[in-house]
Amino acid sequence: MTVRLRAHHLLCMLTFVGEGYTPAFTDNYRRIAKRLTEGEEIELVSGPDDICAPLLDEAEPHCFKASVIERDAAALADVASLIGEEIEPGAVLVPDANLLANLRRNFASGEIRRACNGCEWRDLCSRIAAGNFTGVLVGHP
């Protein structure tokens, strides 16, 4: 199987420690984190992904908002620049130790954090990165 992720979730997965919008959201994200830790491939998608699924039944899911789409664009550009290749929806990435370490190192330094501007989780993610990603559920650094 493949985990379908929108671009900004490539960054969110780096600091996921089990907190989220709703219990259903965090339960789903925990299952996805386990799959990613086991090395399941990531397929980049445009728009809502496997992490968004529990939120899509809301009256106005934020997953479709312009600000979220802008986050995706910023994350996609930053990650593509970091790995030195063009990536777009449909691309497949393997969340192995090297990729996760490279992403985390550059996330912690701020190099790939443009997508985090205005995000309600920014401070939490900053604390997790400053704490050497202790307690994260994807990849267990």
Side-chain angles (χ1 to χ4, degrees):
M1 288 186 76
T2 301
V3 176
R4 298 171 59 251
L5 291 185
R6 63 189 316 156
H8 84 266
H9 284 160
L10 290 173
L11 305 180
C12 299
M13 72 176 185
L14 301 173
T15 59
F16 179 64
V17 292
E19 296 188 34
Y21 299 103
T22 66
F25 178 87
T26 56
D27 289 346
N28 178 59
Y29 206 152
R30 284 177 184 277
R31 287 189 296 275
I32 291 169
K34 183 177 187 303
R35 291 169 55 196
L36 292 169
T37 298
E38 292 170 353
E40 198 165 316
E41 291 181 338
I42 297 167
E43 177 187 357
L44 289 177
V45 298
S46 177
D49 61 7
D50 293 341
I51 291 173
C52 297
L55 302 175
L56 297 178
D57 290 335
E58 295 177 351
E60 294 184 33
H62 80 269
C63 306
F64 295 103
K65 292 185 176 178
S67 62
V68 178
I69 294 166
E70 290 168 10
R71 279 188 220 300
D72 286 336
L76 190 64
D78 284 351
V79 172
S81 178
L82 175 66
I83 64 175
E85 64 183 68
E86 191 73 27
I87 55 174
E88 57 188 35
V92 175
L93 302 171
V94 178
D96 60 18
N98 289 333
L99 177 65
L100 292 173
N102 192 18
L103 289 171
R104 283 196 172 105
R105 183 174 48 258
N106 286 278
F107 184 91
S109 73
E111 295 297 313
I112 59 171
R113 300 248 358 231
R114 287 186 307 137
C116 304
N117 292 337
C119 177
E120 67 185 280
W121 300 99
R122 182 180 177 89
D123 290 343
L124 173 67
C125 295
S126 294
R127 285 192 304 275
I128 292 165
N132 201 31
F133 300 93
T134 300
V136 298
L137 299 180
V138 175
H140 312 294

